[in-house]
Amino acid sequence: MRRQIQFLRRGAIVRLEDAPPTLTLLDYLRLDERAMGTKEGCAEGDCGACTVVLRRLAGERLAYTPVNACIVLAGQADGSEVITVDDLAGGQDGLHPVQQAMVDLHGSQCGFCTPGFVMALFALFHAPGRGALTRDTVNDWIAGNLCRCTGYRPIVDAAIAACGVAARDRFTDQEGDIARALAALDDGADLFSGTAERFFAAPASIEALGALYIQHPDAVLVAGATDVGLWVTKQMRDLRKIIWLGRVKGLDAIAATADGVTFGATATHAAAAPHLSAIDPDLGELLRRFASKQVRNMGTIGGNIANGSPIGDTPPALIALGATLILQRGGATRELPLEDFFVAYGRQQREAGEFVRAVRVPRLGSGEAFRCYKISKRFDQDISAVMGAFRLRLEGSRIAAARIAFGGMAATPKRARAAESALAGADLADPATAAAACEGLALDFAPMTDQRASAFYRMRVAKALLRKALIEIGGAATTTTRVVGRRETAHAATS
Ligand SMILES: Cc1cc2nc3c(=O)[nH]c(=O)nc-3n(C[C@H](O)[C@H](O)[C@H](O)COP(=O)(O)OP(=O)(O)OC[C@H]3O[C@@H](n4cnc5c(N)ncnc54)[C@H](O)[C@@H]3O)c2cc1C
Ligand code: FES
Ligand code: FES
């Protein structure tokens, strides 16, 4: 059992013992270390001003992962090297190439966002196999960084100038030493820092997690902290017991077979994206628009399900696909259809001491078609107002079976049973089919009005999405139904 959180910083090991369990990485950097280059803007993962890079072992190589330090807990850096904007320029090299490009191409005015952009681009500089950089790729990469005064054109120019060439800097030169230092930090021991009443724990195995959570069923499980982080920074909640799942060996495993893909609970959205894209390109497009690169790097499939949000993006899509949830308590596991997990607003089928172990997602069978659409006020980095997912099984033009699920239309992610019944056995080519299914939707849902959308808008848009799915599955090219995310030019699996 290890009692200290440990990570690498500027060539030395930082050891934190008895730090507050909810100490954020940003507060550690700015308040404890006084490394003031990293900025705080929104403190909720939205603006990217606090972007830092975690350098971690990923098999044989080192991964440079941009994250939002404002909502990452310091303990989540355990086993990583933390690189901040303060570390980039140095020695005889002067500015780092991405910093120099930002200067040369006028990528900064007031400068408040600049450290975050520089760190996002530093990670892009080190991204493996990124190939030729297009403006679209860069736009996806910096969707989580907000600039209010310079405008994005010169920043994208700087990204292409600095990151369009093979990466070589003093960080690449250090990689051998850093890989050895990180391997030495990876001790495989359970981490428990604090007391029985107030702790940050990070079990190293599923067995240790099961035992610890039964012992402390009142602890808060943290996977990526892209939801829990906001409980700390926005709700000022005093979370006394934290069990971080990020060191549990095997809990992030992704197993793909001919029939489906099983995602371990801590598989991140970034890691899951290529597998979901392979099931259907619309899932890849959904993930591209899920938050930002920084959030997808930390946020997990298990967290998106376990938080029980009615507007989470993956649950409706996974319910429409017929996914099964695997829950574990101690050593015992049970399975249930994902849709049955969501009982009511804020209430899920999860016992004390039970955690999400994995979700099993079937592939589409022959004659099956899938579509999903996210409707939000902003294209990037925004929560859905409505999210609709549709799976149909066709025999010729007859709809043999339908599974439809929506987010944003009820207190939980929910199936549209009446609309499904209206479609089952109907002829896809018959114009009356869509009308009947839309009437079904009006029976299925009584959506609410909130700051994202009115009840009237939600119902109108849900019906429009249903019609769009039927038109597309009926054979219309998505060049006639979509402005972006067309299936004919499916976006490459993004992470
Ligand atoms: C800027 C920003 C943008 C976002 N955009 C989107 C978006 O576009 N779409 C969207 O759907 N969401 C979005 N989110 C919300 C969030 O990113 C997702 O819900 C994410 O999947 C949560 O995963 P996590 O691992 O970070 O969960 P955490 O924050 O670690 O945990 C979330 C909840 O799940 C519980 N939990 C986590 N793992 C387990 C487990 N294995 N077993 C049991 N309980 C568990 C935690 O105790 C907590 O209650 C956004 C968040 C931010 C900050
Ligand atoms: S301060 Fe805005 S994302 Fe962290
Ligand atoms: S340079 Fe001012 S916010 Fe970007």
Side-chain angles (χ1 to χ4, degrees), residues 188-244:
D190 296 328
L191 164 63
F192 190 97
S193 181
T195 64
E197 286 73 43
R198 191 176 180 82
F199 62 79
F200 181 95
S205 66
I206 291 181
E207 296 70 29
L209 165 63
L212 185 66
Y213 197 27
I214 284 190
Q215 205 184 335
H216 295 280
D218 55 335
V220 174
L221 297 184
V222 169
T226 61
D227 286 316
V228 174
L230 278 68
W231 304 356
V232 175
T233 61
K234 294 289 144 168
Q235 298 173 10
M236 307 296 169
R237 280 168 64 175
D238 179 24
L239 308 177
R240 304 180 70 81
K241 299 179 177 183
I242 299 277
I243 301 178
W244 177 45

Short mmCIF file of all heavy atoms in Angstrom, two decimals, residues 188-244:
data_model
loop_
_atom_site.label_atom_id
_atom_site.label_comp_id
_atom_site.label_asym_id
_atom_site.label_seq_id
_atom_site.Cartn_x
_atom_site.Cartn_y
_atom_site.Cartn_z
N GLY A 188 2.34 -0.65 -9.26
CA GLY A 188 1.28 -1.66 -9.16
C GLY A 188 0.69 -1.79 -7.76
O GLY A 188 -0.11 -2.68 -7.49
N ALA A 189 1.07 -0.87 -6.86
CA ALA A 189 0.56 -0.94 -5.47
C ALA A 189 -0.75 -0.16 -5.37
O ALA A 189 -0.97 0.80 -6.11
CB ALA A 189 1.59 -0.35 -4.52
N ASP A 190 -1.61 -0.56 -4.44
CA ASP A 190 -2.80 0.24 -4.16
C ASP A 190 -2.35 1.55 -3.51
O ASP A 190 -1.44 1.55 -2.68
CB ASP A 190 -3.73 -0.50 -3.19
CG ASP A 190 -4.27 -1.79 -3.82
OD1 ASP A 190 -4.45 -1.81 -5.05
OD2 ASP A 190 -4.49 -2.76 -3.07
N LEU A 191 -3.01 2.63 -3.89
CA LEU A 191 -2.70 3.93 -3.31
C LEU A 191 -3.82 4.31 -2.34
O LEU A 191 -5.01 4.23 -2.70
CB LEU A 191 -2.58 4.96 -4.45
CG LEU A 191 -2.64 6.44 -4.07
CD1 LEU A 191 -1.47 6.83 -3.18
CD2 LEU A 191 -2.60 7.30 -5.34
N PHE A 192 -3.44 4.70 -1.14
CA PHE A 192 -4.43 5.17 -0.17
C PHE A 192 -3.78 6.32 0.60
O PHE A 192 -2.93 6.11 1.45
CB PHE A 192 -4.84 4.04 0.79
CG PHE A 192 -6.03 4.41 1.65
CD1 PHE A 192 -7.31 4.03 1.30
CD2 PHE A 192 -5.85 5.16 2.81
CE1 PHE A 192 -8.40 4.39 2.08
CE2 PHE A 192 -6.94 5.54 3.58
CZ PHE A 192 -8.23 5.14 3.22
N SER A 193 -4.20 7.54 0.27
CA SER A 193 -3.58 8.71 0.88
C SER A 193 -4.62 9.41 1.75
O SER A 193 -5.64 9.86 1.25
CB SER A 193 -3.08 9.65 -0.23
OG SER A 193 -2.47 10.77 0.32
N GLY A 194 -4.38 9.48 3.04
CA GLY A 194 -5.31 10.13 3.96
C GLY A 194 -5.67 9.20 5.09
O GLY A 194 -4.93 8.28 5.43
N THR A 195 -6.85 9.45 5.67
CA THR A 195 -7.32 8.64 6.80
C THR A 195 -8.61 7.93 6.39
O THR A 195 -9.14 8.18 5.31
CB THR A 195 -7.66 9.54 8.00
OG1 THR A 195 -8.76 10.41 7.60
CG2 THR A 195 -6.47 10.39 8.40
N ALA A 196 -9.13 7.08 7.27
CA ALA A 196 -10.36 6.34 6.95
C ALA A 196 -11.54 7.29 6.75
O ALA A 196 -12.51 6.95 6.09
CB ALA A 196 -10.67 5.35 8.07
N GLU A 197 -11.45 8.51 7.27
CA GLU A 197 -12.57 9.48 7.16
C GLU A 197 -12.40 10.42 5.97
O GLU A 197 -13.36 11.04 5.53
CB GLU A 197 -12.68 10.35 8.43
CG GLU A 197 -13.25 9.63 9.64
CD GLU A 197 -12.27 8.63 10.22
OE1 GLU A 197 -11.06 8.98 10.33
OE2 GLU A 197 -12.66 7.49 10.52
N ARG A 198 -11.18 10.55 5.49
CA ARG A 198 -10.92 11.55 4.44
C ARG A 198 -9.73 11.08 3.62
O ARG A 198 -8.60 11.11 4.11
CB ARG A 198 -10.61 12.90 5.11
CG ARG A 198 -10.58 14.07 4.19
CD ARG A 198 -10.36 15.35 5.01
NE ARG A 198 -10.32 16.52 4.15
CZ ARG A 198 -11.41 17.14 3.70
NH1 ARG A 198 -12.60 16.73 4.06
NH2 ARG A 198 -11.29 18.19 2.92
N PHE A 199 -9.99 10.63 2.42
CA PHE A 199 -8.87 10.03 1.66
C PHE A 199 -9.03 10.19 0.16
O PHE A 199 -10.13 10.42 -0.36
CB PHE A 199 -8.73 8.54 2.00
CG PHE A 199 -9.94 7.69 1.66
CD1 PHE A 199 -10.18 7.27 0.36
CD2 PHE A 199 -10.84 7.29 2.66
CE1 PHE A 199 -11.28 6.48 0.05
CE2 PHE A 199 -11.94 6.50 2.35
CZ PHE A 199 -12.16 6.10 1.04
N PHE A 200 -7.89 10.05 -0.51
CA PHE A 200 -7.84 9.85 -1.97
C PHE A 200 -7.24 8.47 -2.17
O PHE A 200 -6.10 8.23 -1.78
CB PHE A 200 -6.97 10.91 -2.66
CG PHE A 200 -6.92 10.73 -4.15
CD1 PHE A 200 -7.78 11.43 -4.98
CD2 PHE A 200 -6.01 9.85 -4.75
CE1 PHE A 200 -7.76 11.25 -6.36
CE2 PHE A 200 -5.98 9.66 -6.12
CZ PHE A 200 -6.85 10.37 -6.93
N ALA A 201 -8.04 7.56 -2.72
CA ALA A 201 -7.55 6.19 -2.92
C ALA A 201 -7.56 5.86 -4.40
O ALA A 201 -8.41 6.35 -5.15
CB ALA A 201 -8.43 5.20 -2.15
N ALA A 202 -6.63 5.02 -4.81
CA ALA A 202 -6.57 4.58 -6.20
C ALA A 202 -6.15 3.11 -6.22
O ALA A 202 -4.97 2.80 -6.31
CB ALA A 202 -5.59 5.44 -6.98
N PRO A 203 -7.15 2.22 -6.10
CA PRO A 203 -6.79 0.80 -6.10
C PRO A 203 -6.17 0.40 -7.44
O PRO A 203 -6.47 1.01 -8.47
CB PRO A 203 -8.14 0.09 -5.88
CG PRO A 203 -9.19 1.13 -6.08
CD PRO A 203 -8.57 2.47 -5.95
N ALA A 204 -5.33 -0.63 -7.38
CA ALA A 204 -4.60 -1.02 -8.59
C ALA A 204 -5.25 -2.21 -9.29
O ALA A 204 -4.87 -2.52 -10.41
CB ALA A 204 -3.15 -1.35 -8.22
N SER A 205 -6.21 -2.86 -8.63
CA SER A 205 -6.83 -4.03 -9.26
C SER A 205 -8.34 -3.99 -9.04
O SER A 205 -8.84 -3.30 -8.13
CB SER A 205 -6.28 -5.32 -8.64
OG SER A 205 -6.68 -5.39 -7.28
N ILE A 206 -9.05 -4.77 -9.84
CA ILE A 206 -10.51 -4.81 -9.71
C ILE A 206 -10.88 -5.42 -8.36
O ILE A 206 -11.83 -4.96 -7.71
CB ILE A 206 -11.12 -5.60 -10.89
CG1 ILE A 206 -10.93 -4.77 -12.16
CG2 ILE A 206 -12.60 -5.90 -10.65
CD1 ILE A 206 -11.48 -5.36 -13.42
N GLU A 207 -10.11 -6.40 -7.91
CA GLU A 207 -10.39 -7.02 -6.61
C GLU A 207 -10.26 -5.98 -5.49
O GLU A 207 -11.12 -5.88 -4.60
CB GLU A 207 -9.41 -8.17 -6.33
CG GLU A 207 -9.52 -9.35 -7.28
CD GLU A 207 -9.02 -9.06 -8.69
OE1 GLU A 207 -8.12 -8.21 -8.86
OE2 GLU A 207 -9.57 -9.67 -9.65
N ALA A 208 -9.18 -5.19 -5.54
CA ALA A 208 -8.96 -4.18 -4.50
C ALA A 208 -10.06 -3.12 -4.56
O ALA A 208 -10.54 -2.65 -3.52
CB ALA A 208 -7.58 -3.55 -4.67
N LEU A 209 -10.48 -2.75 -5.76
CA LEU A 209 -11.57 -1.78 -5.89
C LEU A 209 -12.85 -2.33 -5.26
O LEU A 209 -13.52 -1.63 -4.48
CB LEU A 209 -11.80 -1.45 -7.38
CG LEU A 209 -13.11 -0.74 -7.72
CD1 LEU A 209 -13.17 0.63 -7.06
CD2 LEU A 209 -13.29 -0.61 -9.23
N GLY A 210 -13.18 -3.58 -5.60
CA GLY A 210 -14.41 -4.19 -5.08
C GLY A 210 -14.41 -4.18 -3.56
O GLY A 210 -15.40 -3.79 -2.92
N ALA A 211 -13.28 -4.55 -2.96
CA ALA A 211 -13.21 -4.62 -1.49
C ALA A 211 -13.28 -3.23 -0.87
O ALA A 211 -14.00 -2.99 0.10
CB ALA A 211 -11.90 -5.32 -1.09
N LEU A 212 -12.54 -2.28 -1.45
CA LEU A 212 -12.50 -0.92 -0.88
C LEU A 212 -13.88 -0.25 -0.95
O LEU A 212 -14.30 0.43 -0.01
CB LEU A 212 -11.46 -0.08 -1.64
CG LEU A 212 -11.21 1.31 -1.10
CD1 LEU A 212 -10.55 1.26 0.29
CD2 LEU A 212 -10.32 2.11 -2.05
N TYR A 213 -14.58 -0.46 -2.06
CA TYR A 213 -15.88 0.23 -2.23
C TYR A 213 -16.94 -0.39 -1.31
O TYR A 213 -17.81 0.32 -0.82
CB TYR A 213 -16.28 0.15 -3.71
CG TYR A 213 -17.36 1.15 -4.10
CD1 TYR A 213 -17.53 2.36 -3.43
CD2 TYR A 213 -18.20 0.89 -5.19
CE1 TYR A 213 -18.51 3.28 -3.81
CE2 TYR A 213 -19.18 1.79 -5.57
CZ TYR A 213 -19.33 2.99 -4.88
OH TYR A 213 -20.30 3.88 -5.26
N ILE A 214 -16.83 -1.67 -1.03
CA ILE A 214 -17.76 -2.28 -0.06
C ILE A 214 -17.47 -1.72 1.34
O ILE A 214 -18.38 -1.43 2.11
CB ILE A 214 -17.63 -3.82 -0.10
CG1 ILE A 214 -18.36 -4.32 -1.34
CG2 ILE A 214 -18.19 -4.46 1.18
CD1 ILE A 214 -18.55 -5.80 -1.41
N GLN A 215 -16.19 -1.51 1.61
CA GLN A 215 -15.81 -0.95 2.92
C GLN A 215 -16.25 0.50 3.05
O GLN A 215 -16.61 0.96 4.12
CB GLN A 215 -14.29 -1.05 3.01
CG GLN A 215 -13.74 -1.09 4.41
CD GLN A 215 -12.20 -1.08 4.34
OE1 GLN A 215 -11.58 -1.48 3.35
NE2 GLN A 215 -11.58 -0.60 5.41
N HIS A 216 -16.23 1.24 1.92
CA HIS A 216 -16.59 2.67 1.94
C HIS A 216 -17.64 2.94 0.86
O HIS A 216 -17.36 3.62 -0.13
CB HIS A 216 -15.35 3.53 1.65
CG HIS A 216 -14.29 3.44 2.70
ND1 HIS A 216 -14.35 4.13 3.89
CD2 HIS A 216 -13.14 2.72 2.73
CE1 HIS A 216 -13.27 3.86 4.61
NE2 HIS A 216 -12.53 3.00 3.93
N PRO A 217 -18.87 2.43 1.02
CA PRO A 217 -19.88 2.65 -0.02
C PRO A 217 -20.29 4.11 -0.15
O PRO A 217 -20.92 4.50 -1.13
CB PRO A 217 -21.06 1.78 0.45
CG PRO A 217 -20.84 1.55 1.91
CD PRO A 217 -19.37 1.63 2.15
N ASP A 218 -19.91 4.94 0.86
CA ASP A 218 -20.21 6.38 0.79
C ASP A 218 -19.13 7.16 0.04
O ASP A 218 -19.24 8.37 -0.13
CB ASP A 218 -20.35 6.95 2.22
CG ASP A 218 -19.12 6.66 3.08
OD1 ASP A 218 -18.40 5.67 2.79
OD2 ASP A 218 -18.86 7.43 4.02
N ALA A 219 -18.09 6.48 -0.44
CA ALA A 219 -17.03 7.17 -1.20
C ALA A 219 -17.57 7.58 -2.57
O ALA A 219 -18.52 6.97 -3.09
CB ALA A 219 -15.82 6.26 -1.36
N VAL A 220 -16.97 8.62 -3.14
CA VAL A 220 -17.33 9.03 -4.51
C VAL A 220 -16.35 8.37 -5.46
O VAL A 220 -15.13 8.54 -5.34
CB VAL A 220 -17.25 10.57 -4.65
CG1 VAL A 220 -17.48 10.97 -6.10
CG2 VAL A 220 -18.27 11.23 -3.74
N LEU A 221 -16.90 7.60 -6.40
CA LEU A 221 -16.04 7.04 -7.43
C LEU A 221 -15.71 8.14 -8.43
O LEU A 221 -16.59 8.90 -8.84
CB LEU A 221 -16.75 5.90 -8.17
CG LEU A 221 -17.12 4.66 -7.34
CD1 LEU A 221 -17.74 3.60 -8.26
CD2 LEU A 221 -15.91 4.09 -6.62
N VAL A 222 -14.47 8.21 -8.83
CA VAL A 222 -14.05 9.18 -9.84
C VAL A 222 -13.36 8.41 -10.96
O VAL A 222 -12.44 7.64 -10.71
CB VAL A 222 -13.07 10.22 -9.24
CG1 VAL A 222 -12.43 11.05 -10.33
CG2 VAL A 222 -13.79 11.12 -8.25
N ALA A 223 -13.85 8.65 -12.18
CA ALA A 223 -13.17 8.05 -13.33
C ALA A 223 -12.36 9.17 -14.00
O ALA A 223 -11.19 9.37 -13.70
CB ALA A 223 -14.18 7.40 -14.24
N GLY A 224 -12.99 9.96 -14.88
CA GLY A 224 -12.28 11.07 -15.51
C GLY A 224 -12.42 12.37 -14.76
O GLY A 224 -11.71 13.33 -15.03
N ALA A 225 -13.42 12.45 -13.87
CA ALA A 225 -13.73 13.68 -13.10
C ALA A 225 -14.26 14.80 -13.97
O ALA A 225 -14.27 15.95 -13.55
CB ALA A 225 -12.55 14.16 -12.27
N THR A 226 -14.72 14.50 -15.19
CA THR A 226 -15.24 15.60 -16.02
C THR A 226 -16.65 15.99 -15.59
O THR A 226 -17.15 17.03 -16.00
CB THR A 226 -15.19 15.26 -17.53
OG1 THR A 226 -16.01 14.12 -17.79
CG2 THR A 226 -13.79 14.98 -17.99
N ASP A 227 -17.29 15.17 -14.77
CA ASP A 227 -18.49 15.61 -14.05
C ASP A 227 -18.13 15.94 -12.61
O ASP A 227 -18.45 17.01 -12.12
CB ASP A 227 -19.56 14.50 -14.04
CG ASP A 227 -20.25 14.34 -15.38
OD1 ASP A 227 -20.60 15.37 -15.99
OD2 ASP A 227 -20.43 13.19 -15.83
N VAL A 228 -17.45 15.03 -11.93
CA VAL A 228 -17.19 15.21 -10.50
C VAL A 228 -16.34 16.46 -10.25
O VAL A 228 -16.52 17.16 -9.26
CB VAL A 228 -16.49 13.96 -9.91
CG1 VAL A 228 -16.09 14.20 -8.46
CG2 VAL A 228 -17.40 12.74 -9.99
N GLY A 229 -15.43 16.77 -11.17
CA GLY A 229 -14.60 17.97 -11.01
C GLY A 229 -15.44 19.21 -10.80
O GLY A 229 -15.09 20.10 -10.01
N LEU A 230 -16.58 19.27 -11.48
CA LEU A 230 -17.45 20.45 -11.35
C LEU A 230 -18.20 20.47 -10.02
O LEU A 230 -18.59 21.54 -9.56
CB LEU A 230 -18.45 20.51 -12.52
CG LEU A 230 -17.89 21.12 -13.81
CD1 LEU A 230 -16.83 20.24 -14.45
CD2 LEU A 230 -19.01 21.39 -14.80
N TRP A 231 -18.41 19.31 -9.42
CA TRP A 231 -19.01 19.30 -8.07
C TRP A 231 -18.07 20.05 -7.13
O TRP A 231 -18.49 20.68 -6.18
CB TRP A 231 -19.20 17.88 -7.53
CG TRP A 231 -20.00 16.94 -8.37
CD1 TRP A 231 -20.65 17.21 -9.54
CD2 TRP A 231 -20.24 15.55 -8.10
NE1 TRP A 231 -21.27 16.07 -10.00
CE2 TRP A 231 -21.03 15.06 -9.14
CE3 TRP A 231 -19.85 14.69 -7.07
CZ2 TRP A 231 -21.45 13.72 -9.19
CZ3 TRP A 231 -20.25 13.37 -7.12
CH2 TRP A 231 -21.05 12.89 -8.18
N VAL A 232 -16.76 19.93 -7.41
CA VAL A 232 -15.75 20.55 -6.55
C VAL A 232 -15.63 22.04 -6.87
O VAL A 232 -15.70 22.89 -5.98
CB VAL A 232 -14.38 19.86 -6.75
CG1 VAL A 232 -13.28 20.56 -5.97
CG2 VAL A 232 -14.48 18.38 -6.38
N THR A 233 -15.47 22.36 -8.18
CA THR A 233 -15.14 23.76 -8.52
C THR A 233 -16.37 24.65 -8.61
O THR A 233 -16.24 25.87 -8.45
CB THR A 233 -14.38 23.83 -9.87
OG1 THR A 233 -15.23 23.30 -10.90
CG2 THR A 233 -13.08 23.05 -9.82
N LYS A 234 -17.53 24.09 -8.88
CA LYS A 234 -18.73 24.91 -9.05
C LYS A 234 -19.70 24.77 -7.88
O LYS A 234 -20.30 25.73 -7.44
CB LYS A 234 -19.46 24.54 -10.35
CG LYS A 234 -18.68 24.88 -11.59
CD LYS A 234 -18.62 26.38 -11.81
CE LYS A 234 -17.31 26.83 -12.38
NZ LYS A 234 -17.30 28.21 -12.86
N GLN A 235 -19.85 23.53 -7.39
CA GLN A 235 -20.79 23.33 -6.27
C GLN A 235 -20.08 23.41 -4.92
O GLN A 235 -20.71 23.35 -3.88
CB GLN A 235 -21.50 21.98 -6.42
CG GLN A 235 -22.33 21.88 -7.69
CD GLN A 235 -22.90 20.47 -7.90
OE1 GLN A 235 -22.84 19.61 -7.03
NE2 GLN A 235 -23.45 20.24 -9.07
N MET A 236 -18.76 23.51 -4.97
CA MET A 236 -17.95 23.62 -3.74
C MET A 236 -18.26 22.49 -2.77
O MET A 236 -18.32 22.68 -1.55
CB MET A 236 -18.20 24.96 -3.02
CG MET A 236 -18.02 26.17 -3.90
SD MET A 236 -16.30 26.27 -4.46
CE MET A 236 -16.40 27.52 -5.70
N ARG A 237 -18.52 21.31 -3.31
CA ARG A 237 -18.85 20.19 -2.42
C ARG A 237 -17.59 19.66 -1.73
O ARG A 237 -16.54 19.58 -2.35
CB ARG A 237 -19.54 19.07 -3.21
CG ARG A 237 -21.01 19.40 -3.43
CD ARG A 237 -21.66 18.50 -4.43
NE ARG A 237 -21.72 17.11 -4.02
CZ ARG A 237 -22.34 16.17 -4.72
NH1 ARG A 237 -22.96 16.48 -5.85
NH2 ARG A 237 -22.36 14.93 -4.31
N ASP A 238 -17.74 19.30 -0.49
CA ASP A 238 -16.62 18.77 0.28
C ASP A 238 -16.67 17.25 0.16
O ASP A 238 -17.36 16.59 0.94
CB ASP A 238 -16.74 19.24 1.73
CG ASP A 238 -15.60 18.70 2.58
OD1 ASP A 238 -14.54 18.39 2.02
OD2 ASP A 238 -15.79 18.57 3.81
N LEU A 239 -15.99 16.72 -0.81
CA LEU A 239 -16.00 15.26 -1.01
C LEU A 239 -14.87 14.68 -0.17
O LEU A 239 -13.69 14.93 -0.43
CB LEU A 239 -15.81 14.93 -2.49
CG LEU A 239 -16.77 15.66 -3.46
CD1 LEU A 239 -16.43 15.30 -4.90
CD2 LEU A 239 -18.22 15.31 -3.17
N ARG A 240 -15.26 13.93 0.82
CA ARG A 240 -14.26 13.50 1.80
C ARG A 240 -13.56 12.21 1.41
O ARG A 240 -12.45 11.95 1.83
CB ARG A 240 -14.93 13.33 3.18
CG ARG A 240 -15.65 14.61 3.62
CD ARG A 240 -16.30 14.43 4.97
NE ARG A 240 -15.33 14.33 6.03
CZ ARG A 240 -14.72 15.35 6.61
NH1 ARG A 240 -15.00 16.57 6.23
NH2 ARG A 240 -13.85 15.16 7.57
N LYS A 241 -14.27 11.38 0.64
CA LYS A 241 -13.67 10.08 0.30
C LYS A 241 -13.74 9.91 -1.22
O LYS A 241 -14.82 9.85 -1.79
CB LYS A 241 -14.45 8.94 0.95
CG LYS A 241 -14.47 8.98 2.47
CD LYS A 241 -15.28 7.81 2.99
CE LYS A 241 -15.27 7.75 4.51
NZ LYS A 241 -16.01 6.57 5.01
N ILE A 242 -12.58 9.82 -1.83
CA ILE A 242 -12.51 9.68 -3.29
C ILE A 242 -11.85 8.34 -3.62
O ILE A 242 -10.76 8.04 -3.11
CB ILE A 242 -11.65 10.80 -3.91
CG1 ILE A 242 -12.25 12.19 -3.63
CG2 ILE A 242 -11.43 10.56 -5.40
CD1 ILE A 242 -13.33 12.62 -4.55
N ILE A 243 -12.52 7.57 -4.47
CA ILE A 243 -11.85 6.38 -5.02
C ILE A 243 -11.70 6.62 -6.52
O ILE A 243 -12.68 6.66 -7.27
CB ILE A 243 -12.68 5.09 -4.78
CG1 ILE A 243 -12.91 4.87 -3.28
CG2 ILE A 243 -11.97 3.88 -5.42
CD1 ILE A 243 -13.76 3.64 -2.97
N TRP A 244 -10.45 6.83 -6.92
CA TRP A 244 -10.17 7.07 -8.35
C TRP A 244 -9.96 5.72 -9.04
O TRP A 244 -9.23 4.86 -8.54
CB TRP A 244 -8.93 7.96 -8.50
CG TRP A 244 -8.54 8.18 -9.92
CD1 TRP A 244 -9.36 8.50 -10.96
CD2 TRP A 244 -7.22 8.10 -10.47
NE1 TRP A 244 -8.64 8.64 -12.12
CE2 TRP A 244 -7.32 8.39 -11.85
CE3 TRP A 244 -5.96 7.82 -9.94
CZ2 TRP A 244 -6.22 8.40 -12.70
CZ3 TRP A 244 -4.87 7.83 -10.78
CH2 TRP A 244 -4.99 8.13 -12.15
#
